[in-house]
Each structure stands twice: as structure tokens, then as C-alpha cells.
Amino acid sequence: MRATSAVTIGVGATAAVVVGALVQSAGSGMDGTGLGAELTMAVPTEYRSLVEEAGKTCPEVSPNLLAALLTQESGFNPKAASPVGAQGIAQFMPSTWEKHGIDGNGDGKRDVWDPEDAIPSSGKYLCTLADDVKDVPGNKQNNMLAAYNAGSGAVQKYGGVPPYKETQNYVQSISALANKPKGGGKTASSSQAVTAVNAAEAQLGAPYSWGGGNANGPSKGICCSPNGSDGASIAGFDCSGLVLYAYAKAGIHLPRTAAQQYAASEPVRPGQMRPGDLVFYGSSTTVIHHVGIYVGGGWIINAPRPGTNVRYDPMDTMPDLIAVARPVPSKEI
């Protein structure tokens, strides 16, 4: 089935609900400073001045970087609460808030649920972390962001961004968001998207291989998946390997992992989706575990998991659809 006929597949009611509920409002300098120095990101009007002011707390923090962090942490939801206990628009843990929260609006209270306190506190806390890891080699802002996610101790222990997948994806995603040019980058054209869909469809039936797939096509993978699956003896694709290959055929280089591919793309609102857009799954945009290529009608083509082949699946094939995005050819990752 080609891209032009894929849109005739019926869309399931659940997929329509998932897509309808999807909420998506939407490197750094050589010396590790100046990342996203101008506030070009979309920020809710009521928080814009707070972000601009708090984003100037120290040289390592900028308004754009702070806006990217708040986008990733809560989507600017002041009532956000995570399953592990993080609270408010900046997702402070209670112990961290107790130590680093400030009375930003001078009303005599330090309220983690009040953006007028939480946003200035976030800027101040980032600067505290930047000072904690100032002697660690590498990019200063990457180390600061890693410390925000994993703690200063981990950054100091590993001499830079620690080898935690979540933390690496966190740093990657926020840096990419903060560095997006004003008005967003030029995304993949319709013809490039069709080429990518056609390339993926040509691989229908190819076996799943953990770590498999590159710009040239199917390849042997690596050991081992979180469930212990070894792709080293299987020539095929994992989910992001299929995406990498499909868009390479369209002349667009994408990074290897699903989370990095999200960071290299522009978010797409549900009503603006088109075949070729990438559909991401995970608990947040920094913890993405799967990606597929939208073919229309509520369906994706993807390499689902070990023991399966490249195939079509409905968009609600997994319950944690988190984002839809369109690759940006010029994005540097």
C-alpha cells in the first residue's frame, strides 16, 4: 500500500481520542553559554515576563533555555504533579523546594504551586547547579541541565552528563528546543514525507532487530533490549532505525534514537498531521521509547518490538502516545 492509498484506512475511535487529546504547544555555544539567548519560544502570555526575568539570573541560563525546561517539565501547567512527587510548573521535588524555593513575588510565602515563585526559583536553582558543576569538564549548560535532572553529584561523579538514558535525552531535548530558530525550522516537505513513507513501506515484513537499521537499510543490531532481546544476529530494524532509514532515503539525516528524533523535529498539532509525520510514545517528551511513521487514517508504519516485523499499526497501538512531530532537515544534533 502506498502513501496515497494509506489514508483510506479507517481510523479507530480510540485513536481519534488519543490524537484529539494530544497536547503539544509546540547545541549550544562553543563555550557552553548563550544557548537560546533570545526568547523565541512560545510561552503563555501570563508567564512570559517571568521567564524573561528569571532567564537572566546567571550567564549559564537564558530565557529560551528556561522556557524549554518548563515546556519539558510541565508544559507550563502550574498544577502539574508527577507520580514520583514533583510539583508545579517547574516540577520541584518537595525536598528541593524546601532548600531552593524562593518568594519570587514578595507576598511572604514560598509556594511551589505559584508560578510567580516557582519560575524565579527554577532560574535560581539552575544557577546554583551551574556553580556546583562549574569545574566539571565539557559544556557548562549541558552539565547544568544534567544536574537539574540527575543531581550535581552524578555530573561530578561521571565528569559530565552521566550515562543515564533519561538524563541524556533530557539534555538533548531541552537544548534542541532552546536552539530552535524564531518561527521554527523549515520542516520536511510533502515530497520528502512521501518518499520517507514509501521507503518505510518497502521494508514491510523486515524483521525487528534491537539496535538494527541505518541510513543504508536493515542491519544487524546489538545486545540487549530492556527485556533481554539480542539483535546482534538479526538483520532488520528497530523503531528508530526504520525512521532513520526512511528519512535518509528522502535526503534528511536524523539522529539514532527516538528521543533524539523528537528533538530534531517540530511538534505538529493533531489537526495538522500529514503522512510522513513521526508519532512518538513515552511518559514524557524526554522519556520516549517508541516512534512510528504516520501513513494517514489513524495508522502508522513501525517496527514494533522483538519478535515482530515492520508492519502497519493503529496509532493507539500503545497507550502512551505523547507527541507528533515533523522532521527538520536543517536541525543539528
Side-chain angles (χ1 to χ4, degrees), residues 55-290:
K56 301 173 183 176
T57 306
C58 65
E60 291 79 14
V61 179
S62 71
N64 239 27
L65 183 142
L66 183 57
L69 182 143
L70 296 171
T71 298
Q72 293 287 20
E73 290 288 351
S74 69
F76 285 98
N77 177 7
K79 299 180 179 179
S82 80
V84 297
Q87 300 174 330
I89 198 167
Q91 289 292 277
F92 276 101
M93 294 296 291
S95 59
T96 305
W97 177 258
E98 182 63 27
K99 185 175 181 180
H100 296 283
I102 64 174
D103 178 13
N105 58 7
D107 66 355
K109 297 183 296 182
R110 297 185 306 133
D111 185 357
V112 70
W113 303 104
D114 186 347
E116 292 185 358
D117 290 343
I119 292 176
S121 295
S122 183
K124 178 178 178 293
Y125 183 46
L126 281 169
C127 293
T128 299
L129 295 173
D131 187 62
D132 287 346
V133 299
K134 65 182 179 182
D135 296 326
V136 177
N139 183 281
K140 295 180 183 297
Q141 287 172 322
N142 286 352
N143 290 340
M144 177 185 67
L145 290 170
Y148 197 95
N149 180 259
S152 300
V155 176
Q156 293 164 346
K157 175 182 177 180
Y158 289 102
V161 179
Y164 309 150
K165 185 175 181 180
E166 177 183 344
T167 301
Q168 291 175 343
N169 289 341
Y170 184 86
V171 172
Q172 178 79 46
S173 298
I174 291 177
S175 297
L177 281 173
N179 272 320
K180 285 183 178 178
K182 189 173 183 179
K186 181 180 179 182
T187 57
S189 67
S190 296
S191 62
Q192 287 173 314
V194 169
T195 298
V197 170
N198 288 344
E201 288 179 331
Q203 297 300 322
L204 284 167
Y208 183 98
S209 176
W210 176 259
N214 56 43
N216 297 318
S219 66
K220 290 184 178 180
I222 59 175
C223 183
C224 288
S225 76
N227 293 326
S229 177
D230 186 354
S233 63
I234 304 172
F237 297 95
D238 64 9
C239 64
S240 56
L242 179 65
V243 169
L244 187 155
Y245 166 74
Y247 268 96
K249 297 294 283 185
I252 295 175
H253 173 74
L254 291 176
R256 185 59 181 79
T257 70
Q260 291 170 341
Q261 289 170 357
Y262 172 76
S265 305
E266 290 280 358
V268 174
R269 297 182 185 278
Q272 299 172 342
M273 288 174 59
R274 73 182 188 201
D277 287 344
L278 303 182
V279 182
F280 296 93
Y281 302 81
S283 58
S284 75
T285 53
T286 60
V287 188
I288 290 172
H289 65 83
H290 188 69

Side-chain angles (χ1 to χ4, degrees), residues 1 6-12 15 19 273-277 279 281 292-302 311-317:
M1 177 170 54
V7 295
T8 63
I9 304 175
V11 57
V19 175
M273 288 174 59
R274 73 182 188 201
D277 287 344
V279 182
Y281 302 81
I293 302 173
Y294 184 63
V295 295
W299 287 71
I300 62 171
I301 185 169
N302 69 138
R311 69 189 191 192
Y312 296 109
D313 278 313
M315 283 183 66
D316 61 353
T317 185

